[in-house]
């Protein structure tokens, strides 16, 4: 009698445990679906931020592929939104087609985000080393006698936009040959702080000039954008792995009803004929 009871109780415990796993997987997948829909906006923001940064400062970088992490992040955001909607739907309807499609999309997103995170991390180091050389070249080649020179416009735009002066500080302008020849006691007016409207770059009034160099501010902006993408992709990759496990649990508890015909008597009869 005890053996019979044990045989009856064990399957019931297994069914109860399977139902708990299924319910938890459905709730987790539904929650992750809403998270994916919300984080798609954050991912798109990071991608656009990187793309616009390299577009605005494109003359400082020779390689055009440096904005690739931004484009990958933007593509990830576009796929992430329908993936979130599909995850919510698959957790409710438990459709085998939706579950299979969701698994493929999660795998695609995981590949894109791992690639984007790896590129963002490596490009952050690579571009930082290029910035000093490019910025130093523009400063030392500054043409004081021609205000319409493209190099002059680039330097002035950076210094006005970032409120900085020189590569490391304003003393970098004193090392240029054109400065010592034409304007030995001046720096470009773009080094002036916005609050001093009458500033003309005179070194006798250093307090009117921006103290920080442009290199550090550019590096900070660049690394912030790249690290933003890196951490977004890393966190989303972890969440997508959880979504894949939850979806796999639901797929395991739902057999292929569409293929039951292979084991049916009707299929065997049709196959014989």
């Amino acid at each position: 009698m005890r053996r019979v009871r044990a045989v009856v109780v064990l399957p019931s415990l297994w069914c109860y445990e399977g139902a708990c796993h299924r319910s938890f997987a459905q709730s987790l997948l539904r929650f992750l679906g809403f998270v994916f829909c919300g984080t798609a906006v954050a991912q798109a923001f990071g991608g656009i931020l990187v793309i616009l940064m390299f577009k605005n400062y494109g003359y400082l970088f020779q390689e055009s592929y440096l904005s690739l992490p931004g484009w990958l992040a933007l593509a990830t955001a576009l796929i992430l939104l329908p993936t979130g909607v599909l995850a919510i739907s698959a957790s409710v309807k438990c459709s085998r087609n939706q579950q299979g499609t969701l698994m493929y999309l999660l795998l695609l997103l995981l590949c894109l985000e791992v690639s984007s995170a790896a590129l963002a991390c490596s490009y952050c180091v690579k571009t930082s080393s290029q910035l000093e050389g490019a910025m130093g070249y523009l400063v030392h080649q500054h043409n004081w006698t021609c205000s319409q020179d493209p190099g002059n416009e680039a330097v002035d735009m950076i210094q006005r936009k970032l409120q900085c002066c020189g590569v490391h500080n304003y003393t970098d302008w004193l090392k240029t040959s054109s400065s010592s020849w034409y304007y030995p006691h001046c720096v470009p007016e773009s080094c002036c702080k916005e609050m001093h409207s009458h500033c003309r770059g005179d070194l006798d009034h250093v307090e009117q000039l921006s103290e920080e160099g442009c290199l550090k501010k550019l590096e900070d902006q660049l690394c912030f954008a790249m690290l933003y993408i890196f951490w977004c992709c890393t966190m989303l990759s972890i969440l997508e792995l959880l979504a894949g496990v939850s979806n796999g649990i639901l797929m395991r508890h739902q057999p292929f009803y569409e293929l039951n015909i292979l084991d049916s008597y009707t299929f065997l009869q049709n196959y014989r004929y």
Side-chain angles (χ1 to χ4, degrees), residues 12-254:
S12 63
L13 290 176
W14 289 337
C15 293
Y16 176 75
E17 184 180 0
C20 291
H21 289 170
R22 179 182 177 83
S23 177
F24 177 76
Q26 284 180 327
S27 300
L28 181 59
L29 188 61
R30 189 180 304 112
F31 170 74
L32 291 175
F34 286 109
V35 172
F36 291 156
C37 292
T39 52
V41 179
Q43 189 78 345
F45 170 77
I48 294 173
L49 182 64
V50 171
I51 293 171
L52 291 179
M53 180 168 293
F54 281 99
K55 182 179 180 180
N56 294 333
Y57 303 116
Y59 41 81
L60 295 176
F61 305 99
Q62 297 179 354
E63 296 86 354
S64 58
Y65 60 83
L66 293 176
S67 60
L68 183 58
W71 289 107
L72 288 177
L74 192 59
T76 301
L78 295 176
I79 302 175
L80 198 60
L81 186 59
T83 302
V85 175
L86 187 61
I88 297 172
S89 178
S91 65
V92 176
K93 296 181 179 180
C94 295
S95 170
R96 174 64 69 172
N97 294 331
Q98 290 183 353
Q99 291 170 349
T101 305
L102 177 61
M103 195 65 77
Y104 282 116
L105 288 177
L106 290 174
L107 182 60
L108 176 60
L109 284 172
L110 188 63
C111 294
L112 287 174
E113 285 167 358
V114 169
S115 301
S116 182
L119 290 175
C121 188
S122 61
Y123 286 177
C124 181
V125 178
K126 184 176 181 179
T127 53
S128 296
S129 61
Q130 291 184 4
L131 275 176
E132 185 172 7
M135 191 67 193
Y137 175 80
L138 290 177
V139 169
H140 288 284
Q141 296 297 320
H142 190 276
N143 189 352
W144 292 75
T145 60
C146 181
S147 60
Q148 300 299 323
D149 187 87
N152 295 2
E153 294 180 357
V155 173
D156 291 337
M157 188 273 292
I158 294 175
Q159 293 188 147
R160 288 195 181 98
K161 187 174 182 179
L162 300 181
Q163 284 295 288
C164 57
C165 187
V167 181
H168 300 94
N169 50 53
Y170 71 92
T171 59
D172 292 323
W173 288 105
L174 304 179
K175 303 173 185 178
T176 61
S177 58
S178 55
S179 173
S180 60
W181 180 261
Y182 293 103
Y183 302 96
H185 298 290
C186 290
V187 296
E189 294 183 10
S190 56
C191 286
C192 297
K193 297 178 181 179
E194 292 182 350
M195 64 183 69
H196 300 287
S197 58
H198 301 289
C199 174
R200 293 295 179 266
D202 191 355
L203 292 178
D204 293 333
H205 302 281
V206 180
E207 70 279 358
Q208 298 179 356
L209 305 177
S210 300
E211 299 176 358
E212 193 172 0
C214 297
L215 179 62
K216 185 179 184 304
K217 289 195 172 183
L218 281 171
E219 287 179 346
D220 291 343
Q221 284 193 4
L222 179 65
C223 288
F224 170 79
M226 290 295 187
L227 291 178
Y228 179 90
I229 287 183
F230 173 79
W231 287 113
C232 276
C233 291
T234 302
M235 295 302 297
L236 281 172
S237 298
I238 297 174
L239 295 178
E240 284 160 10
L241 288 175
L242 291 176
V245 173
S246 301
N247 192 39
I249 292 174
L250 296 179
M251 294 178 71
R252 185 187 66 178
H253 286 281
Q254 182 176 359

